[in-house]
Amino acid sequence: MLTELLSAVGILSAVSAVLSLLMVIADRTIANYGEVTLIVNDEKKFTFQGGRSLLSALTEQEIFIPSACGGRGSCGFCKVKVLDGAGDYLPTELPHISAEERNENIRLSCQLKVKKNMRVEIPADLFNVKQFRGVVTSIKDLTYDIKEIVIRLVDPKEISFKAGQYIQLQTPAYDLADEAVYRAYSASSPPSQKDTVELEIRRVPNGICTTWVHDYLKEGDEVLMNGPYGEFYLRETNRNIVFIAGGSGNAPIKSILMDMAEKNIKRKTVYFFGARTSKDLFLQEEMRVFEEKLADFTYIPALSDPVDEDKWEGETGLITDVIDRRLDMGEETEAYLCGSPGMIAACIKVLTAKGIPEELIYYDKFA
Amino acid sequence: MTFLGAFAIFFAAIFTNNILLTNYLGMCSFISVSREIKTSVGLGAAVTFVMALTSAINWAVYHYLLVPHLVYLRFIVFIVVIAAFVQIVEMIIERVSDVLYAALGIFLPLITVNCAILGVSLFMVIRDYTFIQSFAFGLGSGLGWMLAIIAMAGIRQKINKSPIPKGLEGAGITLIIAGIMAMAFVGFSGMIAIG
Ligand SMILES: Cc1cc2nc3c(=O)[nH]c(=O)nc-3n(C[C@H](O)[C@H](O)[C@H](O)COP(=O)(O)OP(=O)(O)OC[C@H]3O[C@@H](n4cnc5c(N)ncnc54)[C@H](O)[C@@H]3O)c2cc1C
Ligand code: FES
């Protein structure tokens, strides 16, 4: 009986050991691409072990490419022009690459692996993107699922960005992630405040970064981030402005509003904020204050499913219906949208129906 | 039991006893990956490679290590061998074709849990095949699976442009087609019997 048990364990172990050995050999031979050289803009040259994604290779060299989805291939932001050393387009790249971009060999750097020597071209202003080390000085609940995180910058000590832009926060490896991942978060603080960055982070159930922020991150902890990135900032015109946001989509809008107040921008502005119940509303006082600080600003929060205890007297209904009812600004209007892809798509429809040209609708999809 | 040459088993595994169409094993990736001929060929080749080699290795492991006392370990040992092999196949595919690697995506590591592969190893034990017969059975079953998925991909590319009732799009119509294909394959049965 005992010998049988022992031989069972022995044989299982032996089989596993042989297979492991085989795997190690395969890893050293088949999966070994040797040293490769990456040349950036014909001036910088890096050598490293091949086989990793172009995005992670560049990040390691402190060249930061916007990658809001953290390399999952869903945001399509991480485009890089590859001159040499890439194979055919991958099916995972194609949804984000237009025919023109194909002709120019623009690739999604998070999907493309560097397996031989490669030459790439990167817009010079991306070299301005830096990595920042900071310390969390405060974590506060805005709602039951949104936290405000304040990060004081340590190295470098200051950041310059445009109101509305985002940074990418690093989540270190922990229970849910076996390697560090980056996720995009818009600054909710104004650009004039250069030594701290504030973020509004909504919990996504089982999300890698948001679970870490909500359940693990503590005041005093050190964090890494890089940025700034993004085209979501106020255009310098005299047009009227519509802001539309839901949930943590408030963050970049708040930054822009603070910036407008500081710069004394007097454009006619309206802000629609969509939430489900009053539990999802936050910073209401702050928004009301803007109605006084700004020359012509209206804040319109709307609840889609108010419950009795909300005692809600404001707008009710889907945000799209509320916009349809209340928006009356004409065609000389710019729209700035921030929130889930579904909400953005629905709002764009309403706005264009109201005569706002599509090229004046700017948005950040939080996906 | 009549004696069957390895050659007969090989052909039987492809046609008369096609693992997918007569045993309905390996359905999950069959339905998901059969959208395009190119990826079907890739996955089919990967499955064939894994089936042929794991059936040979599992035969040796079974007969030299597990028989007589430890046969009850066969499920776990077979799975471990298959898992290791799939890892290696993954590395090979990643090396030779990024495009295929990206197209197969999650279905490549999922070959590990493709029940057709474990099925082949278990059938070979139940049917008492010799080493050569097992290898032929594995290779034939793999090719049979590949044949079925390529045929399905061909049909699906054709019906792409046909009006299909909304509720049947995707997996629904694929299962119906698989059923009809299986009936067609019944026509081959009886030509050779392998147990
Ligand atoms: C430009 C930009 C700016 C952003 N700014 C902010 C911000 O200011 N505040 C903020 O809270 N978030 C913001 N996001 C979203 C943020 O980057 C992350 O996507 C989000 O926090 C989820 O990260 P995670 O690691 O927790 O989840 P993951 O582990 O990446 O995802 C877990 C699962 O949830 C799904 N998922 C991902 N994001 C969402 C979502 N938003 N809602 C529902 N399901 C989701 C994924 O598909 C996946 O299935 C922004 C995104 C972009 C692109
Ligand atoms: S990082 Fe989002 S697509 Fe590459």
Side-chain angles (χ1 to χ4, degrees):
Chain A
M1 187 57 207
L2 189 66
T3 48
E4 197 174 296
L5 205 69
L6 282 181
S7 64
V9 173
I11 285 189
L12 261 186
S13 316
V15 171
S16 309
V18 170
L19 290 172
S20 316
L21 189 70
L22 216 64
M23 305 284 304
V24 172
I25 295 173
D27 201 46
R28 295 271 162 85
T29 51
I30 305 171
N32 181 351
Y33 296 92
E35 296 247 297
V36 293
T37 306
L38 175 65
I39 300 176
V40 180
N41 293 6
D42 284 327
E43 49 186 64
K44 295 188 173 92
K45 193 167 165 185
F46 310 105
T47 307
F48 51 88
Q49 195 65 27
R52 59 201 306 190
S53 77
L54 177 57
L55 179 69
S56 78
L58 288 168
T59 307
E60 193 184 75
Q61 307 302 337
E62 308 222 331
I63 297 177
F64 301 104
I65 309 289
S67 48
C69 70
R72 281 178 308 195
S74 64
C75 69
F77 290 0
C78 59
K79 289 175 188 166
V80 165
K81 181 166 181 162
V82 178
L83 304 168
D84 272 337
D88 277 345
Y89 276 91
L90 309 179
T92 41
E93 294 177 81
L94 291 176
H96 302 288
I97 304 281
S98 70
E100 288 145 51
E101 288 173 327
R102 249 184 115 134
N103 287 335
E104 289 188 39
N105 283 321
I106 306 276
R107 308 290 301 248
L108 276 197
S109 63
C110 69
Q111 300 299 308
L112 188 63
K113 297 242 168 75
V114 189
K115 293 183 173 173
K116 45 189 175 187
N117 297 343
M118 192 177 268
R119 226 152 49 85
V120 303
E121 215 176 271
I122 286 164
D125 57 340
L126 280 182
F127 291 123
N128 295 333
V129 169
K130 291 197 197 96
Q131 164 140 299
F132 293 86
R133 202 153 50 79
V135 171
V136 177
T137 52
S138 129
I139 301 179
K140 187 170 91 186
D141 281 327
L142 293 179
T143 70
Y144 64 98
D145 72 345
I146 302 180
K147 280 190 195 295
E148 183 187 76
I149 314 289
V150 182
I151 300 167
R152 183 168 50 78
L153 301 179
V154 175
D155 178 32
K157 284 186 167 19
E158 294 194 339
I159 184 169
S160 45
F161 65 99
K162 292 186 206 154
Q165 282 193 306
Y166 66 92
I167 55 91
Q168 293 181 175
L169 182 66
Q170 189 196 64
T171 313
Y174 76 113
D175 294 357
L176 288 187
D178 27 358
E179 55 179 355
V181 299
Y182 290 86
R183 294 285 184 265
Y185 296 99
S186 314
S188 61
S189 43
S192 59
Q193 180 185 317
K194 288 184 181 301
D195 56 346
T196 50
V197 174
E198 295 170 22
L199 309 173
E200 291 173 3
I201 299 183
R202 196 181 66 111
R203 185 195 280 275
V204 169
N206 295 322
I208 293 175
C209 183
T210 54
T211 305
W212 172 71
V213 166
H214 278 249
D215 298 343
Y216 292 73
L217 193 65
K218 294 185 304 296
E219 288 173 6
D221 283 356
E222 196 165 272
V223 291
L224 283 178
M225 57 195 196
N226 57 58
Y229 303 100
E231 308 294 318
F232 189 75
Y233 48 79
L234 194 65
R235 302 302 190 269
E236 288 181 20
T237 67
N238 281 320
R239 295 193 183 92
N240 301 330
I241 305 169
V242 191
F243 293 119
I244 304 172
S248 53
N250 175 64
I253 313 277
K254 179 176 157 233
S255 173
I256 295 176
L257 287 172
M258 292 172 94
D259 195 43
M260 285 171 69
E262 285 168 9
K263 293 185 176 153
N264 201 13
I265 293 175
K266 296 202 162 74
R267 295 160 65 178
K268 184 178 165 75
T269 307
V270 56
Y271 178 13
F272 292 95
F273 182 78
R276 204 163 295 149
T277 68
S278 59
K279 274 188 3 205
D280 300 298
L281 292 174
F282 56 97
L283 300 181
Q284 296 304 292
E285 281 308 307
E286 281 81 348
M287 293 302 140
R288 294 294 171 209
V289 171
F290 282 121
E291 294 193 324
E292 276 147 38
K293 276 197 199 159
L294 289 166
D296 187 354
F297 175 68
T298 323
Y299 175 57
I300 307 182
L303 297 187
S304 60
D305 303 288
V307 286
D308 289 343
E309 66 241 39
D310 286 344
K311 303 216 170 24
W312 181 246
E313 290 173 355
E315 289 285 345
T316 49
L318 286 178
I319 188 76
T320 42
D321 299 335
V322 177
I323 295 168
D324 195 35
R325 272 204 301 276
R326 295 285 303 269
L327 182 66
D328 181 21
M329 279 190 159
E331 290 173 21
E332 274 306 295
T333 304
E334 285 165 8
Y336 295 85
L337 283 55
C338 208
S340 71
M343 179 208 99
I344 289 178
C347 290
I348 290 179
K349 265 196 199 142
V350 182
L351 294 173
T352 45
K354 288 251 170 199
I356 299 180
E358 239 181 297
E359 59 279 10
L360 295 184
I361 303 179
Y362 307 95
Y363 53 82
D364 251 0
K365 282 187 187 164
F366 279 14
Chain B
M1 254 288 193
T2 48
F3 173 80
L4 284 168
F7 211 58
I9 292 182
F10 174 72
F11 278 105
I14 300 179
F15 298 109
T16 63
N17 290 55
N18 187 297
I19 190 122
L20 200 144
L21 293 171
T22 59
N23 299 95
Y24 258 56
L25 292 178
M27 262 297 149
C28 164
S29 36
F30 172 74
I31 288 173
S32 322
V33 179
S34 60
R35 247 172 298 235
E36 259 182 69
I37 293 189
K38 243 168 80 188
T39 46
S40 300
V41 173
L43 188 69
V47 166
T48 307
F49 182 79
V50 175
M51 265 189 197
L53 289 182
T54 55
S55 57
I57 296 171
N58 281 342
W59 187 92
V61 170
Y62 184 79
H63 287 276
Y64 293 115
L65 296 178
L66 302 186
V67 170
H69 298 303
L70 302 172
V71 288
Y72 62 88
L73 283 179
R74 64 185 181 279
F75 293 98
I76 191 162
V77 170
F78 286 176
I79 283 286
V80 172
V81 169
I82 292 169
F85 249 82
V86 171
Q87 292 280 314
I88 293 174
V89 171
E90 236 188 293
M91 290 183 205
I92 296 175
I93 293 187
E94 191 178 357
R95 174 118 206 173
V96 296
S97 168
D98 282 329
V99 175
L100 184 59
Y101 185 74
L104 294 179
I106 185 68
F107 290 100
L108 196 49
L110 280 185
I111 296 181
T112 308
V113 290
N114 184 326
C115 46
I117 294 180
L118 182 62
V120 163
S121 286
L122 293 175
F123 278 140
M124 129 204 128
V125 168
I126 296 169
R127 294 176 188 165
D128 253 337
Y129 287 152
T130 63
F131 178 76
I132 298 292
Q133 286 174 334
S134 297
F135 179 72
F137 180 58
L139 187 66
S141 296
L143 289 174
W145 197 89
M146 180 158 154
L147 176 76
I149 191 170
I150 294 174
M152 175 60 88
I155 295 174
R156 283 183 74 175
Q157 283 190 352
K158 272 246 148 56
I159 63 167
N160 239 346
K161 296 182 195 73
S162 325
I164 296 165
K166 257 249 152 318
L168 283 180
E169 273 170 15
I173 194 79
T174 310
L175 277 170
I176 294 177
I177 297 170
I180 297 172
M181 276 167 75
M183 282 199 275
F185 269 66
V186 170
F188 290 122
S189 68
M191 280 172 26
I192 329 169
I194 57 163

